[in-house]
Amino acid sequence: MDVHEIPTPAPVIQWPAFEANLAAMSAARPGTSLRPHVKAHKCTSIAAAQAERGHTAFTCATPGEMLGMIDAGLGDDLLLANETVDPRRLAALAARQDDASITVAIDSDATLAAAALAGIRRCLVDVDVGLPRCGCAPSDAGRLADAARSAGLEVRGVMGYEGHLMMVPEHGDRRRQVSDAMAALAGAHAEVGGDIVSAGGTGTFDMYDGTTVTELQAGSYALMDTQYATLGLPFHHALTILGTVIAVKDGYAVADVGLKALGMDHGNPTIAWEGTAVWFCSDEHVTFGTGELQFTVGEHVQVLPAHVDPTMAMHEIAYVVEGDTVVDEWPIDLRGWS
Ligand SMILES: Cc1ncc(COP(=O)(O)O)c(C=O)c1O
């Protein structure tokens, strides 16, 4: 198929940039020192490409992602790095423990009790390292690990996601703050024990020398987005949402890539034509100023998302392209809430 035949709006992955991103991260975090987060792409074909490079342990955000990874034969070592108390979903995971290695994050007596009741065998203590989200207080981690062991679970170690630091603009500043957060995680790990200290993301991929962190949970690096691009990381835009221009007016044009095709929590997307400026998005439309440029109805535009994770979750198929040729179609098969 030619790229011009792709029905829009649609995610398009530039194969050379994708390959380069995977290679750059593998060089920095080889093998299982990277535990790629699948929530950033929700696509087992991408996970398989990551596994081919030696990253055979994965991070997931939902039980459904875990089950999809097992079904795809990628269940060597799966971490649910998110809390769940849903007995049905935990039981569905527990039922697959003979086919796959399943570890779930716990951060409270309630999440531990739910995991134990469902028959989950392995856990990791999720520690609050400063992001106001999940995670127990570092001072409570040892007690929770003891309680988990008493309930019969294996405790593999700790995780602490310092998401509040991913976008600290200056590299040295970011590194210093990450190092403080990781000192809190190391303190918790000393009380918890186990082999795993799991942390970080794309924005902090190079910040763990001299810390006890054993693995990085990055996901966005594979496809990238305009927010992360502001940090000057060695990863490039591999994902665009292909759109079609459906109206051309005096000074602006409209394409069919709107709120229902883009994660917008990090702001407006960018049209990949210098001289254009996005004015706003509505449900099915992006309206952009055309400056000196001429557009015609029916032509394609490439739209760069500001946040890759929710963008991918809105689509069913990603088209992999090299030049003008579609070389593959990858189902975004980990989407949904089942
Ligand atoms: C638990 C967890 N780990 C790691 C990440 C890192 O992902 P990214 O590579 O997008 O920074 C995230 C992103 O939100 C996350 O929630």
Side-chain angles (χ1 to χ4, degrees), residues 37 39 81 133 159 161 166 200-202 217-220 228:
H37 208 319
K39 82 188 186 74
R133 210 170 69 176
M159 66 162 272
Y161 174 56
M166 290 297 139
T202 298
Q217 297 182 355
S220 300
Y228 262 138

Side-chain angles (χ1 to χ4, degrees), residues 215-236:
E215 57 177 47
L216 178 81
Q217 297 182 355
S220 300
Y221 76 96
L223 298 176
M224 283 293 283
D225 54 35
T226 58
Q227 188 188 56
Y228 262 138
T230 62
L231 291 181
L233 305 171
F235 312 113
H236 305 287

Side-chain angles (χ1 to χ4, degrees), residues 153-334:
L153 276 80
E154 179 192 347
V155 180
R156 297 186 69 196
V158 293
M159 66 162 272
Y161 174 56
E162 71 279 36
H164 57 304
L165 303 179
M166 290 297 139
M167 292 307 300
V168 173
E170 204 273 313
H171 190 267
D173 231 14
R174 195 156 74 247
R175 183 188 282 277
R176 270 186 298 281
Q177 294 187 50
V178 166
S179 160
D180 290 346
M182 293 305 105
L185 189 59
H189 181 233
E191 300 297 317
V192 167
D195 295 335
I196 297 179
V197 182
S198 195
T202 298
T204 60
F205 82 102
D206 57 351
M207 302 198 163
Y208 300 97
D209 295 348
T211 73
T212 57
V213 170
T214 59
E215 57 177 47
L216 178 81
Q217 297 182 355
S220 300
Y221 76 96
L223 298 176
M224 283 293 283
D225 54 35
T226 58
Q227 188 188 56
Y228 262 138
T230 62
L231 291 181
L233 305 171
F235 312 113
H236 305 287
H237 292 301
L239 175 73
T240 56
I241 304 302
L242 190 69
T244 303
V245 174
I246 53 172
V248 177
K249 302 288 185 70
D250 188 15
Y252 71 93
V254 182
D256 60 353
V257 184
L259 297 172
K260 293 176 187 167
L262 291 163
M264 292 285 294
D265 59 314
H266 291 172
N268 276 338
T270 304
I271 307 288
W273 277 106
E274 221 170 298
T276 60
V278 169
W279 288 2
F280 65 94
C281 286
S282 45
D283 282 1
E284 284 84 15
H285 307 98
V286 55
T287 297
F288 58 98
T290 47
E292 303 297 306
L293 301 168
Q294 299 292 324
F295 286 86
T296 46
V297 171
E299 85 176 270
H300 274 168
V301 285
Q302 295 187 39
V303 181
L304 293 164
H307 192 183
V308 63
D309 309 47
T311 299
M312 285 295 278
M314 290 180 184
H315 298 273
E316 281 154 7
I317 293 178
Y319 295 85
V320 186
V321 306
E322 243 184 308
D324 277 348
T325 308
V326 177
V327 294
D328 220 335
E329 293 180 23
W330 289 342
I332 304 172
D333 48 354
L334 301 176

